[in-house]
Amino acid sequence: MSAETHSATILIVDDTPINLRVIVESLEGQGYQIVVATRGEEALKRADYVQPDLILLDVMMPDLNGFEICRRLKSHPGTRDIPVIFMTSLASVDDKVTGFSVGALDYVTKPLHVEEVRARVDTHLRLRAMQKEMEKQAAQLTEANEELEAFAYSVSHDLRAPLRAINGFTQILEERCGASLPPEGLDCLLKVQFASKRMDVLIQDLLTYARTGRGAVRAVPVPLLPLILELECTFGDRLASTNASFEVSQPLATPLGDPTLIQQALLNLIDNALKYRRREVAPELKISATADGEHVLIRVADNGIGMPAEYQQKIFQVFQRLHHEHEYPGTGIGLAIVAKAARAMGGDVTVESSPGRGSTFTVQLPVAPVTEP
Ligand code: ADP
């Protein structure tokens, strides 16, 4: 017996526990705490009260049969997760199948063999201990993640106030004393202004990242066309100034998601498609949304600079950039926002790209159920 199963409690449910004396003694000898119930109703009460780590359950009981007891244990939130092993004297396949169908994890056949019962009990207790540990770790991870996001949010928020002061005072300095500053001083002043503006953008992006997916995420059918046309309008000036084409392949499949998050994701993808363009050709953007089984695949394709295969995973992490600030300005947060938004809606995002030819970003979301017209 391992350390994690050492003080485990086992509830044995049998109307003739005397028959199980050898098993009980053997399990007690292993250090397990044994609790016995001889009737079905008593078993249900004890299971709820004692919260055993495992239940050994006889199929033949005078009041409730074992399958009914198991069914009730599994439908009650307080006892649902306790593993049940059936003890059945009928080695019939039917009994075993019924046992599994009402939620049992395993069975042992009567007459019981001490070594077999001990081995199965130990295995299931170890599995249960591992499962509990994993659940605990998942809960801790979620909590740590939430704390980190709350921290990032408040830090980003609080940093903006001193930054506004730096911006404001450097502006005043430039306006009032700019003419009397030597060229070197003026150059320094401009650099401070530039850096503080960049920091402001960075903080705003971090705030958006921290906010993305916080709070309730809706799961409603989202018609994409109006949303994409609105974005086309938003980017109107940049599309015109770069001579870009903007093609929407219709019909567009309807995903299930949060309209705000979908819009935020598409906004970042379109922004990038226009930013990472090849200087020598006009940008060509193509947007489509196709149903693929349970999913909708929203694709945003461009004919821009593309990227090598080895970076195609990395770029979805915060602050991962492939270019220098002076070449293509940015903060490295846009695609992290896209990934976070997609995952918050139960989806994901991937990219296919080849350098010098273009990239296609695919946001995968659950498909909306088809409704009658
Ligand atoms: P930012 O654009 O602010 O740098 P993103 O997170 O949006 O941050 O993008 C991360 C990096 O991925 C970019 O710096 C760029 O190198 C690369 N990238 C994103 N979109 C494209 C695209 N459409 N074409 C080529 N490279 C891209």
Side-chain angles (χ1 to χ4, degrees):
M1 187 170 48
S2 56
E4 68 268 28
T5 62
H6 182 66
S7 56
T9 303
I10 301 169
L11 171 64
I12 299 184
V13 186
D14 195 302
D15 57 329
T16 52
I18 195 77
N19 294 344
L20 303 176
R21 220 182 56 213
V22 186
I23 298 290
V24 170
E25 279 171 8
S26 150
L27 292 175
E28 275 178 343
Q30 291 284 102
Y32 295 124
Q33 309 285 319
I34 304 295
V35 178
V36 174
T38 53
R39 302 185 77 78
E41 293 292 353
E42 182 196 358
L44 292 171
K45 278 191 198 133
R46 291 217 159 165
D48 199 23
Y49 183 70
V50 177
Q51 289 288 307
D53 298 285
L54 186 130
I55 300 174
L56 275 169
L57 180 57
D58 193 17
V59 174
M60 306 288 224
M61 297 288 291
D63 54 344
L64 298 171
N65 81 27
F67 301 132
E68 178 57 18
I69 299 174
C70 188
R71 206 188 51 72
R72 288 212 206 165
L73 285 168
K74 295 292 159 190
S75 61
H76 178 55
T79 53
R80 177 182 297 154
D81 297 327
I82 304 172
V84 173
I85 299 179
F86 267 113
M87 300 182 287
T88 167
S89 43
L90 321 157
S92 94
V93 175
D94 277 0
D95 257 19
K96 291 172 198 163
V97 172
T98 314
F100 285 123
S101 73
V102 292
L105 266 194
D106 206 350
Y107 64 88
V108 283
T109 317
K110 281 182 169 179
L112 301 174
H113 297 282
V114 176
E115 292 303 327
E116 185 194 354
V117 175
R118 267 208 325 229
R120 287 191 194 244
V121 162
D122 203 25
T123 301
H124 286 296
L125 283 174
R126 232 174 314 125
L127 286 174
R128 173 98 175 111
M130 276 159 65
Q131 186 193 353
K132 274 188 177 168
E133 185 56 31
M134 273 162 67
E135 281 167 8
K136 201 171 107 191
Q137 281 178 5
Q140 281 171 347
L141 216 62
T142 310
E143 199 181 318
N145 221 357
E146 278 167 8
E147 252 175 43
L148 202 67
E149 279 186 10
F151 174 74
Y153 182 76
S154 59
V155 166
S156 313
H157 197 263
D158 294 352
L159 282 177
R160 296 194 76 190
L163 200 60
R164 262 198 302 271
I166 296 174
N167 265 333
F169 284 116
T170 47
Q171 211 170 334
I172 294 171
L173 191 63
E174 190 196 350
E175 279 164 15
R176 298 202 186 150
C177 317
S180 55
L181 279 175
E184 201 187 344
L186 202 58
D187 187 46
C188 284
L189 187 63
L190 292 178
K191 280 181 180 149
V192 172
Q193 279 177 333
F194 180 80
S196 75
K197 277 194 186 113
R198 171 150 170 75
M199 193 159 167
D200 195 35
V201 175
L202 200 66
I203 290 173
Q204 272 184 42
D205 281 2
L206 268 176
L207 268 172
T208 312
Y209 178 74
R211 271 193 208 120
T212 304
R214 261 166 84 99
V217 174
R218 284 190 287 164
V220 295
V222 184
L224 292 174
L225 191 59
L227 202 144
I228 292 170
L229 293 180
E230 199 185 315
L231 287 170
E232 188 181 2
C233 236
T234 308
F235 285 99
D237 288 348
R238 273 172 73 192
L239 288 167
S241 68
T242 53
N243 259 331
S245 66
F246 189 91
E247 189 186 313
V248 184
S249 307
Q250 295 191 56
L252 295 161
T254 306
L256 198 65
D258 188 310
T260 313
L261 291 182
I262 295 179
Q263 188 162 32
Q264 203 167 25
L266 291 179
L267 183 124
N268 280 295
L269 293 177
I270 296 171
D271 182 38
N272 281 349
L274 288 172
K275 182 166 38 168
Y276 298 104
R277 65 179 191 270
R278 277 180 286 148
R279 303 289 172 207
E280 65 278 14
V281 290
E284 287 171 12
L285 270 75
K286 289 187 185 134
I287 302 185
S288 64
T290 48
D292 178 28
E294 311 248 284
H295 302 114
V296 168
L297 304 177
I298 308 173
R299 292 196 172 89
V300 178
D302 64 53
N303 62 338
I305 57 171
M307 71 192 82
E310 64 265 35
Y311 300 118
Q312 292 175 15
Q313 288 286 325
K314 261 183 142 183
I315 50 164
F316 295 104
Q317 292 166 16
V318 181
F319 300 136
Q320 294 295 332
R321 309 200 67 227
L322 310 182
H323 304 95
H324 287 293
E325 173 64 19
H326 61 262
E327 216 183 343
Y328 292 97
T331 55
I333 298 174
L335 288 179
I337 291 175
V338 177
K340 201 173 173 202
R343 288 172 197 149
M345 293 183 280
D348 210 346
V349 58
T350 51
V351 64
E352 281 170 64
S353 181
S354 56
R357 305 185 64 166
S359 312
T360 300
F361 286 85
T362 305
V363 178
Q364 179 200 294
L365 292 177
V367 68
V370 181
T371 48
E372 293 298 324

